[in-house]
Amino acid sequence: MSIFVDENTKVIVQGLTGNQGRFHGLRNRDYGTKVVAGVTPGKAGTDVDGIPVYDSVKEAAAATGATASFIVVPPRFAADAIIEAAAAGISFVVCITEFIPAKDEAMVASVLRRNYPGTRLLGPNCPGIISPGRCNIGITSGDIALPGGPVGIVSRSGTLTYQALYELSQKGVGQTTCVGIGGDPVPGTNFIDCLAAFEADPETKAVLMIGEIGGEEEEKAAAFIKEHITKPVVAYVAGVTAPPGRKMGHAGAIVSGGHGTAQGKMDALREAGVVVAVNPTEAGDRMVEIVERL
């Protein structure tokens, strides 16, 4: 099995007619993902390489039966696009858009919790999700993923998501699902959501978790792992040498007031029984050792 998406997931691309939407939407389709429609207001009746385009998500979902949406729109339109998808009954929304104002992210999170609890948002500012050989929604290259499991991956870092996939695939260790949750301050899906889903997935036998400085998500995950996760977890936390008060890469990766340090996160994870690696390659090596013992 996989988590959140599989080979039967039908996907709408909001922004399919734009350069980025077309590029990534067609790559997802060529990977085997069921990309069934695009949405761009004012362009209904056109198509992108055979994929029909509709004016609204509601129309596209009604015509195709889609349950997932891939949002590739500029920051100023992203909040409305997410809420439009939720209002249309889409249950899984992937938003890769970067530089969305924090107030917009907070508003979206509040609206989804209050009005659309059946919609899961992945992102924003994330690489998306891939269940190798089954479904790819986002910007992750399918070439570096290996189907078959038994490892699930969840990562705050985009680039290290790709490295984790590559490291495991090069060692012959497949993945059930790889989820890039993004590093913005208000993520739609967090570590705990993914850890719980991997724990419930019978095909996932171990979890590789990639964290980074800033916030308290890794500490919360450590507490959850200690109480609820029975499967082995390997973790790497990026940003050991990051100076306090300096943003590293994106809005969520900042150490402030002595909180959110890589060392503090590593200590919390280690105390929860997680195997903590000092670099991504070691994380892959430790996971290989665990898989060989399964």
Side-chain angles (χ1 to χ4, degrees):
M1 293 175 63
S2 54
I3 67 169
F4 304 145
V5 299
D6 59 26
E7 63 274 17
N8 297 312
T9 302
K10 293 182 179 180
V11 183
I12 292 167
V13 180
Q14 292 174 253
L16 180 66
T17 58
N19 289 336
Q20 293 297 314
R22 178 187 180 96
F23 178 79
H24 295 296
L26 293 182
R27 278 175 61 88
N28 287 176
R29 184 200 62 181
D30 293 345
Y31 185 76
T33 306
K34 291 183 176 178
V35 178
V36 295
V39 171
T40 301
K43 295 193 176 181
T46 64
D47 73 89
V48 173
D49 202 35
I51 302 171
V53 176
Y54 297 84
D55 278 335
S56 70
V57 178
K58 182 178 181 179
E59 293 169 345
T64 63
T67 58
S69 179
F70 175 24
I71 295 178
V72 196
V73 302
R76 64 186 182 276
F77 303 131
D80 287 344
I82 294 168
I83 293 171
E84 180 190 357
I90 299 297
S91 59
F92 189 72
V93 178
V94 176
C95 181
I96 67 168
T97 305
E98 193 174 7
F99 304 124
I100 298 175
K103 64 179 179 61
D104 287 0
E105 292 186 2
M107 180 272 292
V108 166
S110 177
V111 170
L112 292 182
R113 275 196 306 269
R114 183 176 65 247
N115 298 338
Y116 307 107
T119 296
R120 173 176 297 282
L121 170 64
L122 179 59
N125 189 18
C126 75
I129 184 170
I130 181 170
S131 290
R134 293 170 172 169
C135 183
N136 186 7
I137 306 175
I139 61 176
T140 302
S141 173
D143 299 336
I144 59 175
L146 182 65
V151 176
I153 301 174
V154 55
S155 173
R156 275 180 71 192
S157 167
T159 303
L160 293 179
T161 302
Y162 315 140
Q163 183 168 355
L165 279 169
Y166 183 77
E167 295 276 357
L168 291 181
S169 296
Q170 288 297 299
K171 294 173 171 62
V173 176
Q175 307 91 38
T176 52
T177 302
C178 176
V179 189
I181 60 176
D184 276 9
V186 191
T189 296
N190 59 30
F191 282 126
I192 292 175
D193 297 327
C194 297
L195 288 165
F198 282 134
E199 177 71 12
D201 176 29
E203 288 188 7
T204 299
K205 306 299 184 184
V207 179
L208 178 57
M209 174 180 157
I210 308 292
E212 61 188 17
I213 60 168
E216 299 178 336
E217 291 301 312
E218 290 79 5
E219 291 87 343
K220 292 176 182 177
F224 184 84
I225 290 167
K226 189 172 184 178
E227 294 295 325
H228 301 288
I229 303 299
T230 63
K231 299 175 181 181
V233 179
V234 175
Y236 166 66
V237 179
V240 174
T241 61
R246 179 173 298 175
K247 185 176 70 174
M248 305 295 287
H250 52 69
I254 182 170
V255 177
S256 60
H259 300 289
T261 65
Q263 190 60 55
K265 296 173 184 295
M266 293 164 67
D267 291 344
L269 288 162
R270 195 175 286 114
E271 198 273 333
V274 174
V275 177
V276 178
V278 298
N279 59 59
T281 299
E282 186 191 0
D285 291 340
R286 297 292 82 78
M287 183 55 76
V288 170
E289 293 172 2
I290 287 172
V291 169
E292 288 175 346
R293 295 196 298 267
L294 292 175

